[in-house]
C-alpha cells in the first residue's frame, strides 16, 4: 500500500503531462529514432567542417551519399541559378573538387590554415524520417602560409538522406554571401554590392514544429496502415530496456555538451576558480603533447599562462566554440567532446591583438558518487596563432616545431547503430521495482517519454534559436516575432522588452523598415546592402523536468558585411532566453540580449585600440525610432527601477554605460554545472530565467503561466548520521535560491555490484530541504558497501545523488 502512495507522489506530474495514447513501445521507438537522427545529421555537418581543417578530403567525400551532389556557388549574384555554380556528383569527384578548391590552403601544408566555422543549425526531418534538410551559417578563414589568405562567408541549405541506417549528405548547397582577404577584409559578393536573400527550406508555419510525433497522422493517411514503421530500414521496436538506455544516452550527451560550452564562458571571463571546479580532483589540461600536473594547482598553472584571474579594462579573452561533437561511451562513464575554438585575444592598453585557432578534444568522466559529469582533461591542438596586425597568412607566430606532428584526429561521431545497451542503470531509474509488472512497464514508458522529451527539447530549442537567428539576419520582423509564444516577450536592444508577437513585430519594423512599413520586403535596398550576422553559438540549454520549457544561453557573435571592404567589424554579446512547447511548437518565451561586451571598429582596426562608440549620453530615446518613442514604448524599459542593477552599463540601460574597452559585467542564469555554486563574480540572475520577471513583471514568469522553471543547475545531495544516532540518516538536498527541494522523494540504497537493495526508510524532503530516514535493510550492517542516497527531483530540481562511505 505504501509503495502505491509513493508512486503517486513521484509520478503524478508526469501522468498529467502525457497523453497515455502515445505511450507504446512502437511510438517511443519512432520518436527516439527521430531525435537520434537529428543529432546524427548535425554531427555529419560538424564532422565535415572538422575534417576540412586537416585536408581530409576523402573523409569529407565519404560523408556524402553514393550519388551525393555538392553545389558550390561562385558568387552571391550567381548562386540562385544553378548554371554558374559548381555542381559535382559522386564521392570521387567531390573529393577531387574539395582538394582543388582548397588549393594550398589545405591545413596540411606547413603554415596553411583552413578554419571552417559552421553553426546555428535548423534541421527539418521529413515526416517519414528518411530525409532531412538543414540550414547552417558558415565562415571560412584560409591561408597558405606564404602570405595569401581568403575569408569567405555564406549559408548552407543542405539535404540529407538515411540509407542503410546511416545518415549521409545527399546535397550540399553553399551560397556565398561575402568574401575578401585578411589584409583588406571582406565585402558583399552580390550584384552591385548587394546581398541576395537565401531562400529558406522551411516556412514560418513549420518553424519550431516539435520533433516528436511529427508526421504520424500524415504517414498513416498516406499508407493507410496505421503502422509507425516509416523508415526504409525496418525499425523494429526496441525493448523497454534498450529504449531506456538510448534515451539515457541522449540525456547524458546534453549534460556533456552543456558542461563543455559552459566551461568556455568561464574561460572568456578568466573565472579561474569556476573553471577549476568543473574538473575531477586529478584533472589536467593538455596543450599539444604537454599535460599539466594533475589536480587544481596544475590546472591553475596552465590557466595563469592566459593571464591573471578576472578581466581588467581593455582585456579581451574571447573563445567562441563551434561545432561540438559529443561521444558518450556505451557505459555512460566517459565522454569525449571535439570541436573548434577560436581565440580573439587582445589587450587594448598595450594595443595588441591575437588570433588563436585550436581544435579541442576534451575528455570527461562521470562522477559516479554524484551522477554529474566532470572534466578529466582539456586537450587542445593548436592550428595557428597570429598577431592581429600581421594576420594568419604567413603561418602565424608559433614555431613550426610546436605544431608538429599535425594534430592526431580522434575518431569522429559514433553512429547510433554502434551503441549497445550495457549493464548500466541510470541512477534516476527506480530502485527496485515496486509495482506489479504491467504497472511498472507503463510507468517506465511514461518516464522514457518524459526523458526523451527533455533531449528533444534540447534540439528543438537549438533549432528555434537558429530560425530566430536567420530571420533576424534578414530582418524578417513579423516572422521572428511569430516564433514567440502569444505570451512571449523580447528585448529590443537598448530600449526594453515588448510583450506579444504583435508588439515585437511592430517595434522591429518601426526601427528597421522604411516608410512605415510593417511587412517584410526583401527588395528594400536598406536591408540588403549590409547584414549583421548573428551567430547564436555555444548553447547551454537547461530543460525543465517535464521537457516543456527550457532556459537557453547562447553567445551572440556578430560579424557584419556590407558593400565596403574592410569596414565590417566583429562584436560579442550574450543571449539569455527561454522557450516553451506550445501547441506542438517550440516557441520563444523570453529573449534578453546583453550587448555589446566587446566590438571591433572595423576589420583593419581590430578589437584592440578601439574608441568607445557609446557614450554616457546615450539614452533609450536615442536608440528608438521616432515611432518607438511616441506610440510604441516598451512594456518594460531597460531603465525599470527593478532592473537597475541588472541593466546598468548596457547600452540604453541605467548609466554609466560601460563600453569596450571597458569591461561590462557578465550575467549567468544558472549555477556552476558541477558544484552548484553561484558564479564567483556573483552575477547571478535566475530563476526565474526570464530577466524582466524578477521585480518588473513577475506575471511573465514561466511558473505564472503553467510551465515549470528549468532547474538552474545540479541538485546537491549530502547525508550524514543524525547526531548521536546510529540508525538515523539526515539527508540534505540543495538547489539554488527559490528552488525548493520540498516534496521530492529520497531513497537509500546499497549497490552490490549492480544488485540494488533498498536500505531503510524512504520519504519526501521537507520545507527545509531535509529528511531523516531510519536505516534498516538486508545486510544493513554486515557490509561496508557505501550507502547511496537518491533524490528523485521535483518540479524545481533535477534528480541528484550523494554517497555515504562512513558506515560507523
Ligand atoms: C501512437 O501514437 C499515436 C498518435 O500519437 C496514437 O494515436 C496511438 O494510439 C499510439 N499508439 C499506441 C499503441 O499507443
Ligand atoms: C548600383 O548601386 C548604385 C549606388 O547605390 C546605384 O546608383 C545604381 O543604380 C545601382 N545599379 C544597379 C544596376 O542596381
Ligand atoms: C526545426 O525547425 C524546422 C523549421 O523551423 C521544423 O520543420 C523542424 O521540425 C524543427 N526540427 C527540430 C529538430 O526541432
Ligand atoms: C584520476 O583518478 C582516478 C581515480 O581516483 C583514476 O582512476 C584515474 O586513473 C586518475 N587519472 C589520472 C589522469 O591520473
Ligand atoms: C606528440 O606525441 C606523439 C605520439 O603520441 C609523437 O609522435 C609526437 O612526436 C609528439 N609531439 C611533440 C611535439 O612532442
Ligand atoms: C509615417 O507615419 C507617420 C505618423 O505615423 C506619418 O506622419 C508619416 O507621414 C508616415 N510616412 C509615410 C512615408 O507614410
Ligand atoms: C578603420 O578604423 C580605423 C580607426 O578608426 C580608421 O583609421 C580606418 O580608416 C577604418 N578603415 C575602414 C576601412 O573603415
Ligand atoms: C561615463 O560616466 C562615468 C561616471 O558616471 C565616467 O567615469 C565615464 O568615464 C563616462 N564614460 C564615458 C565614455 O564618457
Amino acid at each position: 500500500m505504501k509503495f502505491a502512495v509513493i508512486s503517486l507522489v513521484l509520478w503524478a506530474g508526469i501522468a498529467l503531462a502525457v497523453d497515455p495514447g502515445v505511450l507504446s513501445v512502437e511510438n517511443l521507438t519512432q520518436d527516439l529514432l527521430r531525435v537520434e537522427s537529428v543529432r546524427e545529421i548535425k554531427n555529419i555537418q560538424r564532422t565535415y567542417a572538422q575534417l576540412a581543417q586537416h585536408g581530409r578530403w576523402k573523409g569529407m567525400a565519404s560523408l556524402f551519399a553514393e550519388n551525393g551532389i555538392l553545389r558550390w556557388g561562385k558568387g552571391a549574384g550567381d548562386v540562385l541559378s544553378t548554371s554558374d555554380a559548381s555542381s559535382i556528383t559522386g564521392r570521387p569527384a567531390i573529393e577531387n573538387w574539395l582538394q582543388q578548391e582548397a588549393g594550398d590552403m589545405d591545413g596540411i601544408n606547413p603554415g596553411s590554415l583552413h578554419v571552417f566555422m559552421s553553426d546555428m543549425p535548423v534541421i527539418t526531418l521529413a515526416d517519414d524520417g528518411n530525409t532531412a534538410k538543414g540550414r547552417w551559417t558558415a565562415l571560412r578563414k584560409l591561408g597558405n602560409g606564404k602570405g595569401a589568405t581568403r575569408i569567405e562567408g555564406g549559408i548552407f541549405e543542405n539535404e540529407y538522406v538515411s540509407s542503410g541506417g546511416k545518415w549521409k549528405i545527399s546535397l550540399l548547397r553553399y551560397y556565398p554571401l561575402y568574401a575578401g582577404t585578411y589584409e583588406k577584409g571582406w565585402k558583399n559578393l552580390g550584384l552591385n554590392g548587394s546581398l541576395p536573400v537565401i531562400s529558406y527550406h522551411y516556412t514560418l508555419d513549420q518553424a519550431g514544429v516539435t520533433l516528436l510525433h511529427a508526421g504520424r497522422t500524415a504517414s498513416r493517411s498516406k499508407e493507410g496502415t496505421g503502422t509507425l514503421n516509416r523508415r526504409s530500414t525496418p525499425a523494429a521496436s526496441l525493448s523497454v530496456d534498450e529504449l531506456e538506455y538510448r534515451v539515457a544516452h541522449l540525456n547524458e550527451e546534453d549534460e556533456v555538451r552543456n558542461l563543455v560550452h559552459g566551461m568556455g564562458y568561464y574561460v572568456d571571463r578568466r573565472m579561474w576558480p569556476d573553471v577549476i571546479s568543473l574538473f575531477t580532483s586529478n584533472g589536467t589540461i593538455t596543450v599539444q603533447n604537454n599535460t599539466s600536473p594533475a589536480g587544481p594547482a596544475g590546472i591553475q598553472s596552465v590557466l595563469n599562462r592566459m593571464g591573471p584571474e578576472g578581466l581588467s579594462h581593455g582585456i579581451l579573452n574571447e573563445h567562441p566554440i563551434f561545432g561540438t561533437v559529443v561521444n558518450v561511451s556505451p557505459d555512460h562513464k566517459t565522454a569525449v567532446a571535439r570541436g573548434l575554438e577560436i581565440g580573439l585575444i587582445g589587450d587594448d592598453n598595450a594595443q595588441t591583438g591575437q588570433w588563436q585557432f585550436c581544435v579541442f578534444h576534451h575528455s570527461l568522466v562521470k562522477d559516479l558518487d554524484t551522477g554529474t559529469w566532470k572534466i578529466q582533461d582539456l586537450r587542445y591542438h593548436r592550428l595557428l596563432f597570429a598577431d592581429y596586425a600581421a594576420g594568419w597568412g604567413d603561418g602565424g607566430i608559433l614555431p613550426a616545431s610546436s605544431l608538429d606532428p599535425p594534430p592526431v584526429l580522434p575518431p569522429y561521431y559514433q553512429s547510433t547503430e554502434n551503441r549497445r545497451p550495457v549493464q548500466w542503470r541510470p541512477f534516476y531509474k527506480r530502485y527496485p521495482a515496486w509495482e506489479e509488472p504491467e504497472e511498472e512497464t507503463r510507468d517506465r514508458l511514461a518516464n522514457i517519454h518524459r526523458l526523451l522529451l527533455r533531449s528533444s527539447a534540447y534540439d528543438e530549442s537549438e533549432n528555434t534559436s537558429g530560425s530566430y537567428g536567420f530571420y533576424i539576419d534578414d530582418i524578417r520582423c513579423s516572422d521572428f516575432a511569430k516564433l514567440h509564444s502569444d505570451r512571449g516577450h523580447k528585448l529590443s536592444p537598448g530600449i526594453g522588452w515588448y510583450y506579444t508577437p504583435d508588439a515585437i513585430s511592430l517595434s522591429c519594423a518601426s526601427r528597421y523598415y522604411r516608410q512605415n512599413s510593417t511587412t517584410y520586403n526583401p527588395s528594400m535596398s536598406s536591408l540588403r546592402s549590409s547584414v549583421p550576422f548573428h551567430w547564436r553559438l555555444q548553447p547551454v540549454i537547461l530543460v525543465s523536468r517535464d521537457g516543456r520549457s527550457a532556459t537557453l544561453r547562447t553567445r551572440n557573435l556578430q560579424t557584419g558585411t556590407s558593400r565596403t571592404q574592410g569596414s565590417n567589424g566583429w562584436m560579442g554579446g550574450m543571449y539569455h532566453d527561454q522557450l516553451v512547447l506550445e501547441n506542438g511548437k517550440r516557441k520563444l518565451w523570453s529573449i534578453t540580449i546583453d550587448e555589446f561586451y566587446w566590438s571591433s571598429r572595423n576589420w583593419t582596426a581590430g578589437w584592440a585600440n578601439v574608441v568607445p562608440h557609446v557614450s554616457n549620453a546615450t539614452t533609450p530615446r536615442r536608440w528608438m525610432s521616432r515611432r518607438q518613442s511616441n506610440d510604441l514604448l516598451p512594456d518594460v524599459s531597460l531603465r525599470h527601477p527593478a532592473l537597475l542593477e541588472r541593466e546598468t552599463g548596457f547600452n540604453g540601460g541605467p548609466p554609466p554605460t560601460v563600453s569596450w574597452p571597458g569591461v561590462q559585467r557578465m550575467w549567468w542564469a544558472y549555477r556552476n554545472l558541477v558544484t552548484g555554486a553561484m558564479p564567483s563574480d556573483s552575477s547571478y540572475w535566475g530563476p526565474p530565467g526570464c530577466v524582466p520577471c524578477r521585480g518588473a513583471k513577475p506575471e511573465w514568469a514561466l511558473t505564472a503561466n503553467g510551465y515549470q522553471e528549468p532547474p538552474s543547475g545540479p541538485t546537491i545531495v549530502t547525508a550524514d548520521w543524525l547526531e548521536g544516532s546510529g540508525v538515523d540518516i539526515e539527508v540534505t538536498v540543495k538547489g539554488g535560491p527559490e528552488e525548493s527541494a520540498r516534496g521530492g522523494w529520497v531513497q537509500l540504497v546499497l549497490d552490490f555490484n549492480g544488485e540494488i537493495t533498498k536500505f531503510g526508510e524512504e520519504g519526501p524532503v521537507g520545507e527545509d530541504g531535509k529528511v531523516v530516514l531510519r536505516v534498516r535493510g538486508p545486510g544493513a550492517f554486515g557490509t561496508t558497501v557505501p550507502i547511496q542516497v537518491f533524490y528523485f527531483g521535483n518540479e524545481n530540481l533535477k534528480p541528484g545523488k550523494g554517497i555515504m562511505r562512513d558506515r560507523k
Side-chain angles (χ1 to χ4, degrees), residues 38 122-125 202-203 206-211 459-460 463 467:
V38 164
V122 178
I123 307 293
T124 303
L125 188 62
Y202 55 91
T203 62
Q206 294 164 333
V209 170
T210 174
L211 200 47
D459 288 280
E460 290 169 9
N463 197 60
S467 292

Side-chain angles (χ1 to χ4, degrees), residues 612 614-616 655-657 659:
V614 179
S615 75
N616 285 345
T657 301
S659 58

